């Protein structure tokens, strides 16, 4: 099959970035973890990702759905499963900006958190996919119930396609129990009139920060 | 859900769909958009190879289904899951109802599962006073409307935003707007609440990986992630055919599945669950997990040499996306629970002959589904085979039996055709069409003018017009098919002229008859086999390089179906293969073998469109030859939208479903007229009958002729 000249020369990282963008992910390159924190604080604050009410809560809902909406208080960043030093830096930055930062108890935040901040294990260049090994329920939930998901991907973890990730996937699956998630872009649906609509159950936006290493 | 009791009732229901303007527009737009986006999604890959990989993998897995099940059960149970094997739908529902009782689950959230639709699981749970909420947006919508899915991937494709707005207004008790983004957000919040409350989550599975005991789930919305994470109990239900040996096998399918289903390189989420995962909502912080594998006849079917290939199905729904009949009538008329071409087949196996008997007749045999199937399943063939089985079980209707009897006796058949020439006198016009239709036809067949039987069939003309060629380049046998022999002999005459001009020596074995496709379409497999044998015998002593037919359907049937029909006639296997190998369609012979050139013709630049017969473009894989010939002979080729979409003839299909045939025809005529073409060429007499009759009825000036006639007319005068 024909390949355009451009695709032939793309590095796995560049191809990952291109494909992730096709899937409506927002991708940035960062040089260190501090940049990831700065990015997150900026998204939550200046970019307006953190709101008092999560999306959909302004619509006309049933009483039960309204009640769930009202259980959310303040602007929340959920950042489970980080190294403790990294979590502390993020938590400090959040505190300075008036956001709360949690790494546990996410089950009591099911109304939604504003930002889920996580690391991931693999990047798949062919499809722009991030892979998160998340048997840890806090980690899993953070990626599901957040309005915005920020995910840090180490450049060295990028592989050309899913087949190249098989050894790692098998390793995850053999550490039973296991929950491994392939995530490509935001949550989407086309179930009403085939119109592509973002954010039906999961995050409205996926931000991938590709960390140079 | 399709439940018509008889064909008449079914036809009435299909006709109702034709009046649903929203549905028609939506499915038209979808069909066109899908074609382009699928092509784009596979642009970087060798799609045939990817499909072959899926087919090989699935075929291999089927041979070891029981071992794979044992391995899967062992690994999954070692990881804390309970694995169940249900022999049928009732048992599967009973198992899941029992789990609900034992875990005191009152509220269930569900993500999409066709297997659960197959067993009508929701009804079973609701009968136990359990609240079930579908969480896939489309599934939730149809659940609230108490409907079945109209597409396997887009279950609510038949509904407009206005209908959803009204529905959501009712559900929330507050007026909603028709803004799709807002409607989606309403669903997000209403369903989030349901997730929080639920005791049990039910998912399907796209794969059950034996090696690691893992299930894989493919979704875009992310609902299956929540369903499998939040509630304290998780039940995953899947057909036993979802078993694959390793993650590698699952990834092979994934690569084709999403590209074929929605033209996505991958869906937003693919989730791999192994064992009983951590769950803070559960006692002991560990989720209770059950995998229910459903047999429901699958293990038996996996051993069937013909039907086992249905398990290559990955439930992508693409066979509906490209089906011209689905595009007209929508999924509720194109399946009982499973939709599209695969649905016609699965209905018979999972929901019985009574639910399938009408549906299986609604295949026009255009092969569009076979052409794009992610597992390379020969869907049209299996649909015909199911039709034949149902007739064997429930009795054959008279028209099929009669036609079968007649076709088996060539002399009788040809005598009848000759007699028809006299019988039609009272209704035949002077222009080659019937003035009005005899009473045996009903008014719904009156959308096209029908041709009369020719004065003299080709078989009576051949000897006098066939020239003797000295030093011929090729020797060919002509296979006319019944329509060109008895209705359009002029197309054969044009062929003789064109081939003689190119130094080709022809012969026309008189014992040839109808190719047999019409009886095959009617599910008369024995008659089909007998006719095939007659034709092979008719040509066995001909010393020819090629057997040429001007009819794409005949060519495709002779070439691809004869070896299957005659596979048990082992004594003549060599003759059958010698015959089928020589068969070639007209355009390919002239283009690829004779290699005619511009200098052979006097071109006139006539604006010319082409209709690609289904059995030419898909049946034989011939795309460019006729288009190139149009230009070689000095006509101006105009490309038509939907050039490779069926004209609605489909042989006996147009007689059985005249309303649908008429709609397909009209779409085709309009798109041809839209190009400003003066003439329309095609390579199939059946298509010509349909298209020419349609233009005649419309009073249009567009002339419909066979490609050979256009070429012969323009042969350079010597």
């Amino acid at each position: 099959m024909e390949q355009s000249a451009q695709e032939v020369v793309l590095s796995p990282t560049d191809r990952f970035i291109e494909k992730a963008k096709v899937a409506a992910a927002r991708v940035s390159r960062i040089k260190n973890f501090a940049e990831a924190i700065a990015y997150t604080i900026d998204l939550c604050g200046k970019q307006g990702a953190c709101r008092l009410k999560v999306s959909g809560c302004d619509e006309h809902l049933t009483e039960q759905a309204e009640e769930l909406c009202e259980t959310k208080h303040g602007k929340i960043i959920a950042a489970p499963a980080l190294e403790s030093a990294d979590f502390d830096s993020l938590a400090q930055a959040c505190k300075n900006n008036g956001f709360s930062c949690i790494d546990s108890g996410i089950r009591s935040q099911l109304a939604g958190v504003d930002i889920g901040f996580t690391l991931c294990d693999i990047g798949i260049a062919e499809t722009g996919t991030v892979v998160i090994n998340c048997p840890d329920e806090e980690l899993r939930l953070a990626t599901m119930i957040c309005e915005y998901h920020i995910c840090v991907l180490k450049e060295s973890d990028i592989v050309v396609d899913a087949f190249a990730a098989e050894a790692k996937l098998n390793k995850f699956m053999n550490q039973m129990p296991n929950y491994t998630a392939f995530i490509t872009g935001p949550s989407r649906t086309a179930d009403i009139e085939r119109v592509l609509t973002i954010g039906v159950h999961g995050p409205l936006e996926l931000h991938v920060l590709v960390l140079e290493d | 859900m399709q439940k018509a009791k008889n064909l008449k009732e079914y036809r009435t229901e299909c006709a109702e769909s034709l009046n649903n303007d929203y549905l028609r527009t939506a499915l038209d737009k979808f069909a066109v958009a899908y074609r382009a986006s699928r092509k784009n999604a596979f642009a970087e890959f060798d799609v045939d190879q990817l499909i072959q990989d899926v087919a090989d993998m699935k075929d291999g897995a089927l041979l070891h289904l029981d071992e794979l099940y044992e391995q899967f059960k062992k690994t999954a149970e070692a990881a804390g899951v309970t694995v169940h094997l249900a022999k049928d739908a009732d048992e599967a529902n009973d198992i899941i109802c029992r789990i609900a009782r034992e875990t005191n689950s009152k509220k269930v959230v569900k993500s999409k599962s066709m297997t659960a639709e197959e067993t009508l699981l929701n009804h079973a749970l609701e009968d136990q006073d359990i609240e079930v909420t579908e969480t896939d947006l489309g599934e939730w919508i149809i659940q609230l409307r108490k409907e079945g899915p109209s597409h396997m991937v887009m279950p609510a494709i038949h509904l407009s935003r206005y209908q959803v707005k009204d529905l959501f207004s009712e559900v929330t008790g507050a007026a909603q707007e028709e803004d799709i983004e807002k409607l989606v957000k309403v669903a997000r919040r209403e369903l989030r609440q349901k997730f929080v409350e639920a005791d049990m989550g039910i998912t399907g599975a796209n794969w059950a990986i034996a090696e690691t005991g893992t299930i894989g789930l493919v979704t875009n919305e992310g609902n299956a992630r929540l369903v499998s994470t939040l509630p304290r109990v998780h039940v995953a239900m899947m057909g036993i055919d979802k078993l694959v040996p390793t993650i590698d096998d699952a990834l092979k399918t994934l690569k084709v599945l999403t590209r074929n289903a929605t033209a996505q390189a991958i869906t937003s989420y693919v989730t791999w669950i192994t064992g009983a995962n951590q769950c803070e909502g559960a006692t002991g912080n560990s989720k209770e997990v059950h995998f229910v594998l459903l047999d429901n006849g699958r293990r038996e079917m996996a051993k069937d040499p013909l039907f086992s290939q249905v398990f290559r199905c990955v439930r992508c729904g693409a066979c509906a996306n490209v089906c011209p009949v689905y595009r007209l009538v929508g999924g509720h008329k194109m399946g009982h629970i499973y939709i599209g071409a695969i649905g016609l087949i699965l209905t018979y196996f999972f929901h019985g002959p009574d639910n399938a008997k009408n549906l299986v007749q609604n295949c026009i045999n255009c092969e569009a589904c076979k052409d794009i199937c992610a597992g390379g399943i020969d869907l049209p063939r299996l649909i015909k085979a199911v039709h034949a089985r149902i007739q064997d079980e429930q009795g054959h209707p008279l028209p099929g039996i009669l036609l079968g009897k007649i076709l088996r006796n060539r002399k009788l058949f040809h005598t009848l055709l000759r007699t028809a020439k006299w019988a039609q006198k009272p209704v035949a016009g002077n222009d080659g069409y019937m003035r009005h239709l005899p009473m045996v036809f009903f008014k719904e067949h009156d959308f096209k003018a029908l041709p009369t039987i020719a004065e003299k069939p080709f078989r009576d003309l051949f000897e006098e017009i066939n020239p003797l060629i000295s030093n011929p380049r090729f020797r060919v046998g002509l296979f006319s098919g019944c329509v060109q022999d008895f209705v359009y002999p002029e197309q054969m005459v044009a062929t003789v002229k064109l081939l003689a001009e190119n130094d080709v020596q022809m012969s026309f074995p008189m014992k040839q008859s109808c190719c047999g496709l019409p009886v095959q379409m009617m599910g008369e497999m024995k008659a089909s086999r007998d006719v095939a044998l007659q034709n092979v015998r008719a040509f066995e002593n001909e010393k020819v390089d090629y057997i040429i037919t001007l009819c794409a359907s005949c060519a495709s049937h002779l070439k691809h179906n004869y070896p299957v029909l005659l596979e048990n006639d082992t004594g003549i296997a060599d003759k059958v293969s010698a015959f089928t190998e020589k068969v070639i369609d007209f355009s390919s012979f002239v283009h690829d073998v004779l290699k005619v050139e511009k200098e052979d013709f006097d071109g006139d630049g006539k604006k010319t469109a082409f209709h690609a017969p289904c059995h030419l473009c898909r049946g034989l894989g011939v795309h460019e030859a006729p288009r190139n010939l149009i230009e070689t002979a000095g006509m101006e080729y105009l490309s038509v939208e939907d050039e490779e979409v069926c004209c609605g003839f489909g042989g006996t299909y147009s007689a059985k479903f005249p309303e649908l045939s008429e709609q397909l025809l009209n779409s085709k005529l309009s798109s041809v007229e839209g190009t400003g073409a003066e003439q329309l060429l095609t390579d199939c007499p059946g298509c010509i009958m349909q298209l020419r009759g349609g233009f005649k009825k419309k009073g249009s000036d567009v002339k419909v002729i066979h490609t050979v006639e256009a070429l012969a007319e323009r042969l350079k005068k010597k």
Side-chain angles (χ1 to χ4, degrees), chain A residues 161-184:
Chain A
D161 60 19
F163 298 101
E166 261 177 40
K168 262 192 178 176
L169 293 173
N170 268 320
K171 202 175 126 201
F172 297 160
M173 290 171 191
N174 281 314
Q175 289 162 351
M176 302 172 210
N178 180 261
Y179 200 107
T180 296
F182 282 21
I183 300 177
T184 314

Side-chain angles (χ1 to χ4, degrees), chain B residues 376-576:
Chain B
I377 306 172
D378 191 347
L379 294 154
R381 182 178 166 206
L382 298 189
I383 293 170
K384 300 293 167 264
V386 168
H387 185 200
R389 274 199 188 192
I390 294 176
Q391 292 193 165
D392 288 345
E393 289 165 13
Q394 302 197 337
H396 291 236
L398 199 56
I401 299 180
L402 281 178
L403 186 59
K405 282 213 156 76
I406 293 167
L407 284 191
R408 277 165 164 167
N409 183 337
R410 182 191 66 78
K411 280 186 184 155
L412 170 65
F413 175 50
H414 288 162
T415 307
L416 281 173
L417 282 171
R418 288 171 196 277
T419 317
K421 185 179 80 186
W422 303 107
Q424 74 190 359
K425 286 276 172 187
V427 290
N430 296 323
D431 54 358
Y433 296 97
M434 302 281 200
R435 268 187 285 117
H436 57 82
L437 293 176
M439 286 309 290
V440 291
F441 293 103
F442 298 101
K443 66 171 178 1
E444 57 265 36
H445 293 267
D446 207 22
F447 61 89
K448 66 183 174 206
L450 285 174
T452 51
I453 303 282
E455 264 310 302
K456 216 170 188 187
F458 178 69
R459 57 180 56 238
D460 294 356
L461 296 169
F462 181 71
E463 282 310 326
E464 53 189 271
I465 63 168
N466 185 34
L468 189 67
I469 311 286
S470 49
N471 299 322
R473 285 169 69 195
F474 301 100
R475 291 177 188 279
V476 304
L478 299 177
F479 182 88
S480 70
C482 18
V483 180
Q484 268 143 346
D485 195 351
F486 284 88
V487 181
Y488 299 133
E490 65 274 16
Q491 295 168 9
M492 296 301 296
V493 173
T495 309
V496 172
K497 181 179 166 192
L498 185 85
L499 296 191
E501 201 63 36
N502 283 279
D503 298 325
V504 177
Q505 182 64 62
M506 289 158 274
S507 66
F508 184 83
M510 291 294 163
K511 285 189 175 161
Q512 63 180 286
S513 185
C514 171
C515 68
L517 184 60
V519 273
Q520 174 132 335
M521 282 286 287
M522 295 172 95
E524 299 294 332
M525 305 313 272
K526 283 198 191 73
S528 182
R529 176 249 167 216
D530 290 353
V531 176
L533 193 59
Q534 277 179 37
N535 284 322
V536 172
R537 291 273 187 224
F539 280 83
E540 69 186 339
N541 295 321
E542 297 293 318
K543 301 217 168 1
V544 293
D545 308 309
Y546 294 95
I547 296 170
I548 296 181
T549 165
L550 304 186
C551 172
S553 296
C554 293
S556 165
H557 186 61
L558 301 177
K559 215 170 175 60
H560 299 142
N561 293 341
Y562 274 25
V564 180
L565 284 165
L566 298 172
E567 68 190 347
N568 295 327
D569 298 82
T570 44
I572 55 155
D574 292 351
K575 284 177 180 144
V576 175

Side-chain angles (χ1 to χ4, degrees), chain A residues 48-178:
Chain A
C50 296
R51 297 181 195 119
L52 292 175
K53 264 189 171 179
V54 288
S55 64
C57 284
D58 290 329
E59 307 300 331
H60 302 294
L61 304 173
T62 58
E63 213 171 289
Q64 298 93 313
E66 292 272 9
E67 274 171 20
L68 179 65
C69 281
E70 281 156 20
T71 61
K72 178 180 180 264
H73 303 288
K75 301 179 176 181
I76 311 162
I77 295 176
L82 299 183
E83 299 281 337
S84 60
D86 290 341
F87 178 77
D88 292 345
S89 319
L90 179 64
Q92 188 57 50
C94 286
K95 197 175 170 193
N96 297 343
N97 287 275
F99 315 139
S100 50
C101 185
I102 56 173
D103 63 354
S104 61
I106 299 173
R107 222 174 226 279
S108 56
Q109 303 290 342
L110 295 181
V113 298
D114 297 292
I115 293 179
F117 180 96
T118 73
L119 309 180
C120 67
D121 299 273
I122 308 169
I124 300 173
E126 186 185 273
T127 50
T129 301
V130 294
V131 180
I132 307 183
N133 175 25
C134 49
D136 177 292
E137 187 182 85
E138 301 285 1
L139 174 57
R140 210 180 326 148
L141 276 176
T143 67
M144 294 179 192
I145 62 153
C146 58
E147 300 283 294
Y148 293 75
H149 179 193
I150 299 174
C151 182
V152 179
L153 166 67
K154 282 194 289 190
E155 198 173 345
S156 60
D157 286 329
I158 296 176
V159 294
V160 288
D161 60 19
F163 298 101
E166 261 177 40
K168 262 192 178 176
L169 293 173
N170 268 320
K171 202 175 126 201
F172 297 160
M173 290 171 191
N174 281 314
Q175 289 162 351
M176 302 172 210
N178 180 261

